[in-house]
Amino acid sequence: EHASFTIRAGQSVALVGRSGSGKSTVLNLLMRFNVPTTGRITIDGVDLMSVDPASLRAQIGCVFQSTFLFDTSVRENIRQGRLDASDEAIERAARLAALHEVILDLPQGYDTRVGEAGGNLSGGQQQRLALARAILREPTILMLDEPTSALDPATEAEVNQTLEAIAAGRTRILVTHRLGAAVAVNQILVFDKGRLVEWGAHDELLKLGGMYTSMWNKQSHFVVDATGTRARLNAMFLRTVPIFEEIDAGLIDSLADQFSSELHEAGVKIIEQGEWGEKFYVIVRGRVEVTVRKGAQPLAHASWILEEGDFFGEIALLTNMPRTATIRSLDRCLLLTLTRAQFQGVVAGAPHLRARFDAVVEQRLAGASQQQ
């Protein structure tokens, strides 16, 4: 809505913002999966509504969050990027996508069937296959919608290096919620509720101190190991959590040391509304959906999405009460958790905080009552 911007040929651009802000919609408009109801979109001055969609898409290579794979061989799935491609070209694309060695470890190598909907491959392998398919097209424009969301940090770094290498001379448009992937692009476009609210290079946006800065600060407090299974947080992150605001520096450092890593695959129910909870969660990587049932109607509910740097379940550190929402992982999620026993063990020597905690509990109980 009222979004106007220019991407120069050969430029790398990142679209960032919270889930539902309009990032993927921009890609759909550029590929004419959606059409604008007002305004226009041009490439080299030509209105997209005046060109053949097949001609437009022939110049574009895409990697989406969800990749459709046929129940045939790895080789033939990659070949969908260009049906006349030779086996040598397919292998080259697989190497560039950091997939070749993985394929060689499969039972029949390139002739291994991927299974229905790619069920014989992991999420990361499926995503790298999609990248190989896009590379095979040798596109003028490369569109990437969360291309490394299912990869561990080591493989993500390898794939990002590959993207940099193959992007030379191509226009690259990247949708991501992981801001570290946007640091080196020419231009970052920040979306919020369907509107373009900020734009510029990484350093320029940080100087603005606006929405991008806030998002960056939320994500910059974590260190993840190369496997993507363990993480640590900077104690300063805890200052962003309301219940920790008045805890002194020494206790904050002690609390930060108590957090443990948890890995959840996509589609896992992490907590359920109404169950008793005793953990606080911080999202290091991935996204979760929050659903709140309202009243006795099973279909009456509200939902929203939490992303990297968000947290949930903090009331469980203070008291034993039923969870007020159901949380389910949308992606492979790496979480940091703190139990009530760990928390209370650290703050036991600070009785002056009790009144503060009691006030938070009372406020939360009042809010839960209003939701019902």
Side-chain angles (χ1 to χ4, degrees):
E1 188 173 53
H2 301 295
S4 181
F5 57 88
T6 299
I7 299 173
R8 295 192 301 275
Q11 194 176 45
S12 59
V13 173
L15 314 181
V16 305
R18 295 191 65 86
S19 293
S21 62
K23 307 184 298 295
S24 296
T25 300
V26 171
L27 294 192
N28 288 334
L29 286 164
L30 292 176
M31 289 181 287
R32 276 191 60 178
F33 294 157
N34 293 347
V35 296
T37 53
T38 59
R40 67 187 192 131
I41 302 167
T42 67
I43 294 182
D44 292 340
V46 179
D47 192 326
L48 294 194
M49 296 304 295
S50 68
V51 302
D52 178 7
S55 173
L56 168 68
R57 293 168 191 158
Q59 302 179 58
I60 297 173
C62 303
V63 181
F64 297 112
Q65 283 177 281
S66 299
T67 301
F68 185 85
L69 299 180
F70 297 92
D71 187 12
T72 183
S73 70
V74 172
R75 187 191 317 275
E76 293 308 312
N77 269 283
I78 296 176
R79 185 173 272 129
Q80 296 305 310
R82 197 176 81 236
L83 296 178
D84 62 350
S86 66
D87 288 350
E88 290 76 14
I90 290 170
E91 182 176 319
R92 177 179 176 275
R95 288 181 183 276
L96 287 173
L99 186 62
H100 178 69
E101 299 300 328
V102 173
I103 294 174
L104 294 184
D105 286 338
L106 295 174
Q108 283 83 44
Y110 279 83
D111 295 320
T112 302
R113 297 184 73 91
V114 303
E116 186 175 352
N120 294 336
L121 304 178
S122 70
Q125 291 167 349
Q126 292 180 33
Q127 209 154 11
R128 278 180 279 178
L129 193 154
L131 180 57
R133 185 187 282 175
I135 292 170
L136 188 65
R137 293 176 70 81
E138 298 185 352
T140 303
I141 302 170
L142 190 59
M143 295 190 184
L144 308 160
D145 192 352
E146 304 285 4
T148 59
S149 62
L151 305 182
D152 60 72
T155 306
E156 179 181 21
E158 186 177 354
V159 170
N160 282 335
Q161 289 178 353
T162 296
L163 290 172
E164 289 293 332
I166 67 172
R170 294 185 172 91
T171 303
R172 180 166 53 121
I173 303 172
L174 167 68
V175 168
T176 183
H177 67 273
R178 192 167 295 151
L179 300 187
V183 171
V185 303
N186 300 119
Q187 183 179 193
I188 300 169
L189 306 177
V190 185
F191 288 84
D192 183 38
K193 299 177 182 177
R195 291 177 177 263
L196 176 61
V197 295
E198 294 175 356
W199 57 91
H202 171 74
D203 291 340
E204 294 171 341
L205 290 174
L206 287 183
K207 290 177 183 177
L208 289 178
M211 182 175 178
Y212 181 84
T213 302
S214 176
M215 294 167 59
W216 177 261
N217 289 340
K218 284 177 62 177
Q219 295 186 17
S220 60
H221 291 291
F222 309 105
V223 177
V224 182
D225 73 359
T227 67
T229 60
R230 297 184 64 81
R232 292 183 291 109
L233 62 78
N234 185 319
M236 290 303 297
F237 170 82
L238 297 180
R239 291 296 186 196
T240 67
V241 183
I243 67 170
F244 299 135
E245 287 176 343
E246 298 181 16
I247 298 179
D248 64 57
L251 291 180
I252 284 285
D253 289 339
S254 297
L255 283 171
D257 291 339
Q258 297 293 316
F259 279 81
S260 301
S261 300
E262 286 188 11
L263 193 64
H264 295 274
E265 297 299 331
V268 172
K269 187 182 294 183
I270 300 170
I271 63 177
E272 184 167 9
Q273 184 172 344
E275 71 180 9
W276 299 96
E278 55 88 36
K279 275 185 184 178
F280 167 59
Y281 299 83
V282 179
I283 305 172
V284 178
R285 304 195 82 176
R287 301 172 304 148
V288 302
E289 181 183 40
V290 182
T291 304
V292 178
R293 292 194 309 272
K294 294 186 174 182
Q297 295 288 338
L299 298 180
H301 67 273
S303 65
W304 59 95
I305 294 173
L306 299 179
E307 301 177 332
E308 296 175 8
D310 290 331
F311 52 85
F312 57 92
E314 66 271 25
I315 197 66
L317 299 178
L318 305 180
T319 186
N320 188 27
M321 63 174 285
R323 296 290 195 184
T324 58
T326 295
I327 311 286
R328 186 184 300 274
S329 58
L330 293 175
D331 312 307
R332 192 172 193 249
C333 289
L334 177 60
L335 309 175
L336 282 170
T337 66
L338 180 71
T339 68
R340 185 187 311 129
Q342 290 172 317
F343 172 75
Q344 294 185 348
V346 171
V347 302
H352 62 285
L353 295 172
R354 189 69 257 170
R356 161 72 175 164
F357 295 155
D358 289 343
V360 171
V361 172
E362 184 177 346
Q363 182 180 20
R364 182 58 61 89
L365 288 172
S369 177
Q370 290 176 359
Q371 286 180 348
Q372 295 171 358

